[in-house]
Amino acid sequence: MYSGGIISNPEFNLGISGWSAFGHGAIEPRVSKMGNRFIAVRNRMQPQDSISQKVQLVKGNLYTFSAWVQVSSGSNETVAVVFQTHDGNFTRGGYTVAKHGCWSLIKGGITANYSGPVELLFECGNTSVEIWVDSVSLQPFTKQQWMSQQDLRIEKARKRRVRFRIAHGNRTGLEGAKVSIKQVRAGFPFGCGMNYHILESEGYREWFASRFPVTTFTNEMKWYSTEKQEGHENYTIPDAMVKFAKEHNISIRGHNIFWDNPKYQPEWVKNLTGDKLRVAAEQRINSVVSRYAGDLIHWDCVNENLHFRFYEDNLGENATAMYFGKTHSLDPKPIIFMNEYNTIEYSDDKAAGPVNFKKKIEEILSFPGNNEGLEAGIGVQGHFGSGQPNLAYMRASLDILATTGLPIWLTEVSVARDPNQAQHLEDVLREAYAHPAVQGIIMFAGPAAAGFNDTTLVDLSFNNTPSGDVVDKLIREWKSDVPGAGTDSEGFFETSLFYGEYEVSVTHPHTKNSYASSRIDVAKEKGEENEVLEKTFHLIREPARASSQVQEFSK
């Protein structure tokens, strides 16, 4: 990619020129039977014994990385790209699972927090295998270049051209008609988590309902909230929250049926094993999924099952897959999600990296019965720490997950407190919104009065924080309102609109009683490219009443 970017001799056409051995390994150029040149690292003693190249980074730049790797034997070896910084620390920029006989792509990246040299190298924990490397690329982008790319991606992924034609009753074009367009519902779900405090605060309810069309309850549907004592279920709070959401046309993600972390089981469940745990889990899933059947758009089924194994260790390796199928049988409407942290936000967490996430969700869907009508989704939580988020790694991770063809949601976005927290939140939200495979965003953020102390959007008086200003700005920016545009000599007006539902009104200054209005839906067509959406309005005057009707024809 990018002809190697700033990498010298990226395809090894000049042998090992520009490259050196890192650690104790020996490197040698090789040529495949098909004539392809690559470098092999043999006689490795440590995981980071590999090839390396020094490159110069510029503070604030984003660097996308890619390379093709293979190992000399085996079929399940994790290979990572690693950057050694000037202070001797190692930062991983991406992973893949490599095998012999097939080249595997590593895709990732870093964001430079200083200007100076770094050493690029590769890592594999199994020192008995050789690492083979080819087609290495490290491409720099300034922040402005990156943002320009985001804008282009947003224009392509989130908007559609719409051509309006305003005509007389005799179908001739009407020049000078004024077309006003107002978005009444966004097509992209950009929402926020809510908690039980919303039942206690009118200010919280008004703030939330005026902004967000979709939500997740942060804790209220979890098992430890609804059945604190065995056999004593209490859904009073989540029931009331569901009622509020439905009254305000707010869609709900169900979170969660089970949590694979042993720490977050109900106290009475923690010591259950075998059949006792199986019976309790069966009661739990039957209860919560049946209760909210038809009310939810998603379910997080077994939360964080890449990091933890409570149900796998006690009920068998296929526990998550079985519960995906069971959830679907109880309520076939919701998309059923895996939901994990550190998949896009932290490049050093190999357990939940995008390659492992992809492998796990594919295993779940291959389980007998799960390929028959079950729709699965990818939930990446997005809990970012302090400091500049690694947007290059985030984009690469989303690219890898997108190869599954499954819907991707950012499900719990938060950004740690930091002097530049608001800017970092905006960077993350824009990067997610710009990726065509992302179909929704939920933030785990909100009012100080509701206990959102990490990413606080409004203070105790419900006045915006800087992060709240960012959210309101993006809500405004990601909608299209046209106050009044004139048609040309043939009666046409064309514009680009964000996906969503719109109210369109048409007037003409020289045609009496010519007001008309209609609602239109601007949606993405199936396939890669959208055709221009055409809408025609015929202004027809009723002589007896001196009023007008509108007839709408859409192509």
Side-chain angles (χ1 to χ4, degrees):
M1 296 178 68
Y2 304 107
S3 300
I6 61 174
I7 296 295
S8 175
N9 188 22
E11 295 187 281
F12 309 107
N13 292 325
L14 302 176
I16 63 172
S17 174
W19 296 89
S20 58
F22 187 92
H24 300 286
I27 65 173
E28 62 181 35
R30 293 184 185 172
V31 182
S32 72
K33 293 180 181 179
M34 301 298 292
N36 180 58
R37 297 179 182 275
F38 61 95
I39 279 189
V41 189
R42 55 183 174 79
N43 300 333
R44 300 173 55 248
M45 300 175 64
Q46 299 294 328
Q48 293 170 348
D49 290 347
S50 68
I51 61 169
S52 70
Q53 185 172 130
K54 285 187 170 69
V55 294
Q56 292 287 325
L57 302 186
V58 177
K59 184 177 181 179
N61 278 4
L62 299 95
Y63 294 81
T64 61
F65 174 84
S66 65
W68 292 90
V69 297
Q70 190 175 163
V71 289
S72 57
S73 62
S75 61
N76 191 32
E77 303 295 342
T78 299
V79 178
V81 61
V82 180
F83 298 90
Q84 185 181 35
T85 56
H86 64 293
D87 54 7
N89 290 326
F90 293 96
T91 298
R92 286 154 192 83
Y95 300 85
T96 193
V97 176
K99 56 186 175 182
H100 181 62
C102 176
W103 290 96
S104 299
L105 177 66
I106 298 179
K107 199 169 187 180
I110 58 170
T111 300
N113 57 16
Y114 74 95
S115 293
V118 298
E119 192 157 9
L120 182 154
L121 58 134
F122 296 85
E123 177 183 73
C124 178
N126 184 354
T127 58
S128 68
V129 301
E130 297 178 357
I131 302 175
W132 301 352
V133 182
D134 194 11
S135 298
V136 185
S137 173
L138 188 67
Q139 174 67 24
F141 296 89
T142 66
K143 183 69 177 296
Q144 187 57 48
Q145 288 171 330
W146 195 267
M147 291 174 65
S148 295
Q149 273 198 357
Q150 286 177 339
D151 291 341
L152 291 172
R153 290 160 70 99
I154 288 171
E155 185 69 29
K156 184 175 182 179
R158 307 296 177 204
K159 302 178 77 175
R160 186 172 181 183
R161 300 293 300 178
V162 183
R163 183 186 297 123
F164 296 90
R165 183 172 186 267
I166 312 305
H168 288 287
N170 60 9
R171 299 182 181 271
T172 59
L174 190 59
E175 182 179 3
K178 297 298 181 184
V179 181
S180 297
I181 305 167
K182 181 177 178 59
Q183 189 183 82
V184 293
R185 188 166 181 85
F188 183 88
F190 178 35
C192 194
M194 71 166 69
N195 63 27
Y196 69 93
H197 288 286
I198 205 158
L199 304 175
E200 307 165 345
S201 168
E202 181 63 28
Y204 188 4
R205 292 192 291 274
E206 290 178 358
W207 173 83
F208 197 103
S210 66
R211 285 168 172 79
F212 302 115
V214 61
T215 191
T216 301
F217 303 166
T218 56
N219 291 303
E220 287 74 12
M221 279 190 181
K222 292 173 181 173
W223 196 0
Y224 63 63
S225 295
T226 63
E227 194 177 359
K228 295 179 181 180
Q229 295 180 330
E230 184 177 5
H232 296 277
E233 294 180 333
N234 187 345
Y235 288 99
T236 303
I237 291 175
D239 283 354
M241 293 171 69
V242 168
K243 181 175 182 292
F244 166 77
K246 292 172 72 173
E247 288 172 349
H248 292 85
N249 201 24
I250 299 169
S251 300
I252 307 167
R253 297 191 72 255
H255 176 75
N256 49 55
I257 301 171
F258 298 113
W259 198 341
D260 237 347
N261 189 339
K263 179 180 177 181
Y264 294 113
Q265 308 305 317
E267 285 297 324
W268 61 272
V269 171
K270 290 180 179 180
N271 294 320
L272 297 182
T273 58
D275 288 341
K276 288 185 177 181
L277 176 60
R278 186 172 286 104
V279 170
E282 187 77 6
Q283 169 60 27
R284 159 64 179 174
I285 195 170
N286 285 333
S287 173
V288 72
V289 176
S290 299
R291 187 177 194 88
Y292 297 115
D295 291 334
L296 310 179
I297 59 170
H298 302 160
W299 262 120
D300 292 334
C301 187
V302 181
N303 203 39
E304 298 173 1
N305 61 334
L306 292 175
H307 283 101
F308 306 105
R309 295 176 47 86
F310 179 79
Y311 292 94
E312 284 74 12
D313 288 343
N314 287 286
L315 300 178
E317 287 296 326
N318 293 319
T320 294
M322 289 190 300
Y323 289 134
F324 262 64
K326 179 68 173 179
T327 303
H328 178 69
S329 69
L330 292 168
D331 185 5
K333 176 185 174 184
I335 301 173
I336 307 172
F337 277 70
M338 270 181 62
N339 189 48
E340 264 296 351
Y341 64 91
N342 284 352
T343 303
I344 61 170
E345 59 265 49
Y346 186 52
S347 60
D348 273 319
D349 190 344
K350 182 168 59 178
V355 173
N356 283 341
F357 198 122
K358 181 174 182 283
K359 180 182 177 183
K360 184 66 174 179
I361 193 71
E362 289 172 347
E363 288 174 355
I364 289 170
L365 292 177
S366 67
F367 188 74
N370 284 358
N371 59 353
E372 300 173 3
L374 188 156
E375 188 175 0
I378 291 172
V380 287
Q381 293 177 10
H383 292 296
F384 288 82
S386 59
Q388 177 65 44
N390 187 351
L391 300 184
Y393 179 78
M394 176 181 172
R395 180 178 295 182
S397 299
L398 291 171
D399 286 345
I400 293 167
L401 296 171
T403 63
T404 63
L406 300 175
I408 300 172
W409 278 59
L410 274 69
T411 55
E412 304 180 15
V413 175
S414 67
V415 174
R417 287 189 174 276
D418 181 281
N420 299 309
Q421 182 190 48
Q423 182 59 57
H424 296 162
L425 177 63
E426 181 172 351
D427 290 344
V428 169
L429 294 175
R430 284 190 183 279
E431 185 61 35
Y433 188 72
H435 199 286
V438 174
Q439 296 190 10
I441 300 171
I442 302 283
M443 299 173 292
F444 268 25
F452 288 96
N453 298 319
D454 198 5
T455 308
T456 307
L457 301 183
V458 286
D459 62 21
L460 294 173
S461 300
F462 289 90
N463 297 314
N464 271 7
T465 64
S467 293
D469 284 339
V470 163
V471 170
D472 283 353
K473 178 180 73 172
L474 294 179
I475 290 172
R476 291 191 301 269
E477 183 179 322
W478 295 340
K479 66 186 297 187
S480 302
D481 287 335
V482 180
T487 55
D488 63 18
S489 60
E490 296 182 348
F492 286 103
F493 165 67
E494 185 169 325
T495 188
S496 179
L497 299 177
F498 285 99
Y499 298 142
E501 187 178 354
Y502 290 87
E503 191 172 83
V504 181
S505 60
V506 181
T507 61
H508 194 280
H510 306 305
T511 305
K512 218 173 182 182
N513 301 317
S514 61
Y515 175 83
S517 67
S518 180
R519 286 204 173 193
I520 65 169
D521 185 48
V522 179
K524 180 177 176 59
E525 285 190 327
K526 291 183 178 179
E528 289 294 316
E529 298 294 334
N530 280 333
E531 292 185 359
V532 175
L533 180 64
E534 297 185 357
K535 295 290 182 179
T536 299
F537 292 91
H538 289 172
L539 300 183
I540 304 173
R541 188 176 173 192
E542 289 184 331
R545 297 168 55 191
S547 64
S548 66
Q549 295 176 326
V550 60
Q551 293 179 340
E552 181 190 340
F553 304 86
S554 62
K555 176 183 177 182

